[in-house]
Amino acid sequence: MAMDTDTAQRQVLDAADGLFYERGVQAVGMDAIRTASGVSLKRLYQLFPSKDALIEAYLDRRDALWKSMLADHVDAATDPRERILAVFDFLDDWFRQRDFRGCAFINSFGELGTVSPRVAELAMQHKEGFRQALTELSKAAGAADPERLADHLILLSEGAITRSAISGSPDPALRAREAAVLLLDATLPRD
Amino acid sequence: MAMDTDTAQRQVLDAADGLFYERGVQAVGMDAIRTASGVSLKRLYQLFPSKDALIEAYLDRRDALWKSMLADHVDAATDPRERILAVFDFLDDWFRQRDFRGCAFINSFGELGTVSPRVAELAMQHKEGFRQALTELSKAAGAADPERLADHLILLSEGAITRSAISGSPDPALRAREAAVLLLDATLPRD
DNA sequence: ACTCTAGGAGAACGATGGTTCTCCGCGCAA
DNA sequence: TTGCGCGGAGAACCATCGTTCTCCTAGAGT
């Protein structure tokens, strides 16, 4: 009758993801997660020894999921320039999801950045991973200064994320893509 | 001996600004504001009937202050193109402030956006004000499509704000300025 | 001097949060 | 069958929060 450990863990993480992302980490109590997951408080606390641990697991999973969604979009293209632009198609897809609420890492950092070094660190690592991905793509596209191009593309992406979250419209993804085209035209060697 | 209403109000807003901005709105209790401001709870509640009202006043004041700091930087330049780039000099100044913690509106939106329509509205209005300022600057610089240029510049700015907040470095302002130069070169008519 | 009232300090109140504990039932080893 | 231990439901506990209330002091008007 006892639900096995793996599915219990998954259900807790599913519930945490939905609630934390929608309402913010501080606004969601452990009781809400217990109700949404159907996993008792006792079990919940033996799977995750504290709310902080659960928040960390939530962010870890988001990071992995996000990276894999990004990779799926990028890998659907072969031309190096198209692979860069695929990043913005990915953003467009993401922004169109009904539950889109901005970047979980930015949101969590805003809530806990000053008080939880762990959350601050996870946010930095997540963003650093994105930066490295963009640097690779820029290198593959033949940019003379791939790190710089990556930085410019990140700014457009992050800007699109927060603008889309606040405005509630997916448009910023298109605007960011346009701007990226201009930047690529100005930066990459002609072909 | 009673402190007059204006100074009490100012002290409360000063304290609220410091605490809300540093730790986030939810993490700061009214008691902390009372201690930091030196204004008794009773008086505090007759100045601001609820914490929500205080949050709103805090955001209102941030909006006004931010706009005037931006205007100061922009108005220090006369050449239309320089006036656009002054936006990024403003960001650089801002990011270098020791207490810089990102955009108060983005942070508050992340915390309360789904639960407080008022905060969501204030965040939208703040960003819309920025958008209009950039649209005016783009128009003055002779852009063929000033709204589009403004959108592109906003993405760079917002991206720089969140990246600087998370990385703790002011660098993103410089990167955003570089990218803005590339965009202006690609967008504005030659002179 | 005697009210009268605004304001300060802080207790009080009811709600909610994270975390732990109690009690109970159930499946399994001997 | 008899313990035994895991897990479920939810109460319990202690802290904190937003908000209000009580009590008291001190100054202003008469």
Side-chain angles (χ1 to χ4, degrees), chain B residues 141-159:
Chain B
D145 189 342
E147 305 237 339
R148 175 145 318 195
L149 177 55
D151 277 339
H152 295 172
L153 294 172
I154 281 208
L155 293 177
L156 292 176
S157 306
E158 305 269 30

Side-chain angles (χ1 to χ4, degrees), chain A residues 1-15 37-39 43 47-48 61:
Chain A
M1 47 112 242
M3 184 190 315
D4 78 277
T5 304
D6 281 357
T7 60
Q9 194 141 356
R10 187 164 33 76
Q11 289 193 343
V12 170
L13 284 174
D14 285 349
S37 67
V39 171
R43 199 108 120 91
L47 290 170
F48 304 94
R61 214 179 60 151

Side-chain angles (χ1 to χ4, degrees), chain A residues 1 27-31 41-42 45 50-51:
Chain A
M1 47 112 242
V28 173
M30 294 298 269
D31 224 59
L41 272 186
K42 196 177 190 175
Y45 271 93
S50 70
K51 189 182 181 183

Side-chain angles (χ1 to χ4, degrees), chain B residues 19 28-39 41 44-45 51:
Chain B
L19 293 169
V28 173
M30 294 298 268
D31 224 59
I33 287 171
R34 162 230 164 103
T35 303
S37 67
V39 170
L41 271 186
L44 214 170
Y45 271 93
K51 189 183 183 182

